[in-house]
Amino acid sequence: PWRRPEPVSAALVVDLLSACGQIGATELAERAADHLFGSPRIFDMDAVIVPAALRLTESAHASDLATVQRLRSACLAHLRVRINEPLEPPRDWARAATIPCRCKDCAELNRFLADPARKLWAFKAAQAERSHVEASIRHSGCDVDFVTEQRGRPYSLVCTKNQASYEDRARQRKKDLKDLARLEAPEDSGPRGNEVVE
């Protein structure tokens, strides 16, 4: 039976480039790197390339390979760009109003999201309409928590804005700074092998 292939992992990239280095297949390693960078949907920078580059640059056997240094340079550039982006919590209650659905309920949700003064929205409607608005919130990933208030008829979907996007970006910034420090360490003859980077 047909099976969907396993997602590509950082370990696969590490094994591939390490093997190329051990057998002296530098041209093959370069072609592999071209393929990695040419297929960003498969070889995601954050999920695959950066973790692979960290492992390879901290390996005594692979860190000096030209392809590994190319990978490392690309990751350093990627991390520096994101670290230099502004990062601050929202100044008011306005949130990205990016719900693609154009129905009247989702249009009202978009107006609520864009409103800098409103933190809370109670959407009183039948279950089908509430479920549709819930699905729109989930699929768009907007910064809203919701709960159904089962008081009166019809029930209300109570939506409360949050700071999830900012908190995600703050966590990502912290991780990016750690990863950047680890990737920069070889420039300063930093640790190799199993040494720990503080």
Side-chain angles (χ1 to χ4, degrees):
W2 181 84
R3 274 184 35 197
R4 174 174 272 176
E6 293 291 319
V8 173
S9 68
L12 174 73
V13 174
V14 170
D15 291 345
L16 173 64
L17 296 182
S18 296
C20 287
Q22 287 179 358
I23 63 171
T26 55
E27 186 179 322
L28 182 59
E30 281 301 311
R31 286 177 51 206
D34 290 342
H35 183 69
L36 296 175
F37 293 128
S39 307
R41 291 183 67 172
I42 298 170
F43 301 98
D44 180 78
M45 282 298 285
D46 295 307
V48 178
I49 305 295
V50 171
L54 287 166
R55 286 177 56 189
L56 288 162
T57 56
E58 293 172 349
S59 163
H61 303 294
S63 62
D64 294 330
L65 298 173
T67 306
V68 171
Q69 289 306 311
R70 179 179 167 200
L71 212 64
R72 179 177 162 269
S73 295
C75 292
L76 285 168
H78 168 73
L79 293 171
R80 287 175 179 145
V81 165
R82 192 161 54 204
I83 287 167
N84 286 327
E85 291 173 355
L87 177 65
E88 64 177 340
R91 296 180 182 181
D92 54 33
W93 289 111
R95 299 294 184 265
T98 56
I99 307 295
C101 177
R102 296 290 172 231
C103 76
K104 65 179 181 57
D105 298 330
C106 288
E108 180 61 30
L109 173 58
N110 269 330
R111 283 191 290 278
F112 163 66
L113 289 168
D115 190 333
R118 288 176 66 196
K119 177 183 178 181
L120 202 73
W121 175 47
F123 175 56
K124 196 174 187 97
Q127 182 174 346
E129 285 84 6
R130 291 193 320 269
S131 295
H132 173 71
V133 169
E134 287 178 17
S136 292
I137 292 169
R138 274 194 213 94
H139 291 135
S140 69
C142 55
D143 290 351
V144 172
D145 296 318
F146 56 85
V147 64
T148 300
E149 187 178 88
Q150 299 181 350
R151 193 172 45 196
R153 290 287 181 168
Y155 294 159
S156 295
L157 183 69
V158 180
C159 301
T160 308
K161 293 175 185 172
N162 62 39
Q163 298 189 104
S165 295
Y166 165 74
E167 290 164 1
D168 288 346
R169 289 184 63 223
R171 277 190 293 275
Q172 184 67 55
R173 173 70 55 88
K174 192 173 182 180
K175 182 181 182 313
D176 287 349
L177 289 167
K178 284 182 181 178
D179 291 346
L180 183 72
R182 286 175 64 191
L183 285 168
E184 287 178 334
E187 291 177 357
D188 305 318
S189 300
R192 290 285 191 271
N194 296 323
E195 292 181 50
V196 176
V197 179
E198 293 297 328

